[in-house]
Amino acid sequence: MSLLRTENLSKSFGELKVLNSVSISVEQGEVVCIIGPSGAGKSTFLRSLNQIEQITSGKIFIDDELFLHRENNTTVSSAQPAEYKRLLLEMGMVFQSFNLFPHKTALENIMLAPMHVKRLGRGEARSLARDLLGQVGLSDKADEYPARLSGGQQQRVAIARALAMQPKIMLFDEPTSALDPELVGEVLGVMRGLADSGMTMLVVTHEMSFAREAAVRIIFMCDGDIAEESEPDQMFTNPRNPRTRQFLNSIL
Amino acid sequence: MADVKRDPRRRRAAVAVLAALVVACAALAFTKPPMAQVERSISAELIEGAGNSYNLTGHNYLIFNIARGRNIKSAATDTYIGIAGSVLPMNSGAAKPIANVLFWIPPLLGGTRITVALTMVSVFAGVIASVFLALGKISKFPPLSAACRAYIFFFRGTPLLMQLFFIYYALPDIIPSLTINNKFLAAFIAFALNSAAYCAEIIRAAIQSIDKGQSEASRALGLSGAQTMRLVIIPQSVRRLIPPVANEFIMVLKDASLVSIIALTDLTQMTRSISSSAGNALVYVPAMVIYLVITAFFSFVFNKLETRFSVYQ
Ligand SMILES: Nc1ncnc2c1ncn2[C@@H]1O[C@H](COP(=O)(O)OP(=O)(O)OP(=O)(O)O)[C@@H](O)[C@H]1O
Ligand SMILES: [Mg+2]
């Protein structure tokens, strides 16, 4: 059963075609990494999934249910509003630039959505937030404001914040690209732990070692298209597409 | 500001100076000489010279004038100050202008009350209204956004003086049921409507200066648009709002002198009337000092607010 599936997902910004009929499928418990050169449309793809960007055409299925179907920039059909919201919340998102709420402490950042979207009581939200902070190794930073946390710590709080909505799949958009090299490890460590606990993950990343170890499949995206999709060993030792080879040579 | 906050010694010093001032003022007030002593202290010949028509005024304020003469027009004014239990003449030399200034302070403070009250209630109401105007202007519902745009355009594009005049004098002519008899209320309405337009632009700019990542993260967490505004965007805008709102406040404080057109006596108007009736332009000096003191006080308050809202920075 696929947790997340797209069919011919396309996205244009005006005249600029950024995604060109992208079809993927992610099964329950899979970690899938997306790699590719800058401007390939990787971010746009993730943002199109959780509706930060509105897709031009294509279908999105979540939990094998039709979530959204659009053609020519108009919605053909979508899940009923309550169901739509539920399915939307099955995707958690972690951004390259963290996007923590600067006026809230680490704990309050995590509590906000459970309290106001899921209507959890303050006490319940707090204990949930404390558990999650423990899970990302930041129990001692509960009352710090984001400005007083390192980038790596901020990103770990952001992961905990996304997890607080109990998503079934986590979308990561280059979660370590904004970090100093020495801080990358702690974030990848949390992500590995998450993968080991069985979380379904779709990860855009430039960290090839992470992709190689953690991913079951790697998607190479180029010019808004999936140029190649294969298992890590295959991808790194014997890429089929010459453009994959060229890209990997340029970064490894 | 932040220095005082961080340095407890300077902070204690500031508190001590303030406390000393308060105690000194209280001491002066409580040592006001009784009326009998005042009459005793003023020389008999002075009172005789005044004939039967001498007139003690201002006793309530420590300072009092004695007007002498057969009729008010020809009255000469002598000024005394009652301080620390004794009565001192202030009729000559450097004492005279000081006495004048002290004597003018109570009526000037009366005008100040109007100025400050009008500014505070108008800007407060204006800021509240402007939040809705700003949200309306950036809303994606065209009729609402057009209406807010038009409102802001109108109130920023016409003189405040004319708006005030219009509300108090012209509107009742056009629609009699909209007659406002209370001058302060009329001034408040005009100033609040005007201030709302200016503050709306301030708030819109502050809201739109918040990083787009904030609303994207909110959205990804399932917050509605209204929740995102209320819980994420507006709280972060507040700190950025404070300096321009403080600026607007000080502009309104000074624009409040426009109320003389509807015969409301604010600080400026009071100063003008004292100056012309006393024939003494010196009154402008204490009046301007009062303006500066108020401006400094509110700048201090707004700075303090800004610091308070910056805790997370
Ligand atoms: N809001 C937007 N409006 C117009 N064009 C956009 C917008 N967002 C992205 N694009 C364009 O879409 C293309 C793909 O951008 P995207 O950010 O998805 O690339 P990416 O693969 O994530 O690259 P990177 O590795 O640099 O993050 C780029 O050419 C970009 O300029
Ligand atoms: Mg990107």
Side-chain angles (χ1 to χ4, degrees), chain B residues 73-102:
Chain B
K73 281 227 170 87
S74 66
T77 302
D78 292 315
T79 304
Y80 293 80
I81 180 167
I83 194 165
S86 53
V87 179
L88 308 171
M90 307 273 283
N91 290 322
S92 55
K96 183 72 178 171
I98 293 173
N100 274 336
V101 168
L102 290 174

Side-chain angles (χ1 to χ4, degrees), chain A residues 120-132:
Chain A
L120 245 55
R122 178 169 284 276
E124 228 178 322
R126 177 171 290 132
S127 69
L128 170 70
R130 283 203 189 285
D131 287 350
L132 287 166

Side-chain angles (χ1 to χ4, degrees), chain A:
Chain A
M1 178 191 105
S2 74
L3 199 50
L4 174 72
R5 186 154 54 89
T6 66
E7 278 179 16
N8 303 321
L9 192 153
S10 299
K11 167 72 188 172
S12 307
F13 290 106
E15 291 294 292
L16 180 70
K17 211 159 168 43
V18 174
L19 295 175
N20 200 353
S21 249
V22 177
S23 302
I24 66 155
S25 172
V26 181
E27 308 292 313
Q28 170 88 46
E30 278 188 329
V31 174
V32 175
C33 285
I34 301 177
I35 61 173
S38 183
K42 308 178 299 291
S43 297
T44 305
F45 181 62
L46 290 195
R47 292 156 62 84
S48 298
L49 293 176
N50 72 353
Q51 304 306 304
I52 293 174
E53 303 287 359
Q54 203 165 36
I55 63 174
T56 309
S57 64
K59 293 181 187 165
I60 301 173
F61 296 86
I62 298 169
D63 262 347
D64 275 333
E65 272 183 70
L66 179 71
F67 171 63
L68 182 65
H69 177 197
R70 282 167 67 82
E71 294 299 336
N72 296 321
N73 245 329
T74 45
T75 302
V76 177
S77 62
S78 69
Q80 293 305 304
E83 188 66 2
Y84 179 91
K85 182 149 195 192
R86 187 183 71 76
L87 294 175
L88 185 62
L89 288 177
E90 298 208 336
M91 295 177 277
M93 176 98 167
V94 174
F95 300 84
Q96 179 175 350
S97 51
F98 328 137
N99 296 344
L100 288 181
F101 305 131
H103 60 305
K104 303 258 176 214
T105 63
L107 201 68
E108 291 167 345
N109 260 279
I110 304 173
M111 289 164 62
L112 187 77
M115 280 173 64
H116 291 95
V117 179
K118 289 202 162 165
R119 303 276 163 211
L120 245 55
R122 178 169 284 276
E124 228 178 322
R126 177 171 290 132
S127 69
L128 170 70
R130 283 203 189 285
D131 287 350
L132 287 166
L133 267 184
Q135 194 179 325
V136 299
L138 289 173
S139 295
D140 53 330
K141 300 289 182 192
D143 297 320
E144 292 286 9
Y145 286 99
R148 303 176 124 261
L149 299 175
S150 74
Q153 292 169 335
Q154 288 189 54
Q155 192 61 295
R156 286 190 277 157
V157 174
I159 292 172
R161 179 177 70 174
L163 290 174
M165 292 305 284
Q166 283 147 338
K168 289 192 179 164
I169 178 167
M170 287 282 283
L171 312 177
F172 291 84
D173 187 5
E174 301 196 29
T176 58
S177 293
L179 299 177
D180 291 338
E182 72 271 21
L183 300 176
V184 168
E186 61 188 68
V187 173
L188 291 181
V190 167
M191 289 169 64
R192 277 203 193 89
L194 209 52
D196 291 344
S197 73
M199 175 60 80
T200 312
M201 295 162 56
L202 185 57
V203 185
V204 173
T205 186
H206 288 304
E207 294 295 328
M208 293 305 149
S209 59
F210 175 81
R212 190 161 199 163
E213 286 167 33
V216 290
R217 269 178 298 127
I218 297 179
I219 293 171
F220 173 68
M221 228 172 152
C222 195
D223 293 337
D225 261 323
I226 295 180
E228 178 164 355
E229 177 170 358
S230 44
E231 290 172 7
D233 278 345
Q234 164 88 32
M235 176 79 75
F236 286 110
T237 55
N238 190 17
R240 281 179 294 238
N241 191 317
R243 302 179 69 175
T244 317
R245 188 168 304 139
Q246 195 188 348
F247 172 73
L248 289 174
N249 281 339
S250 72
I251 60 160
L252 287 181

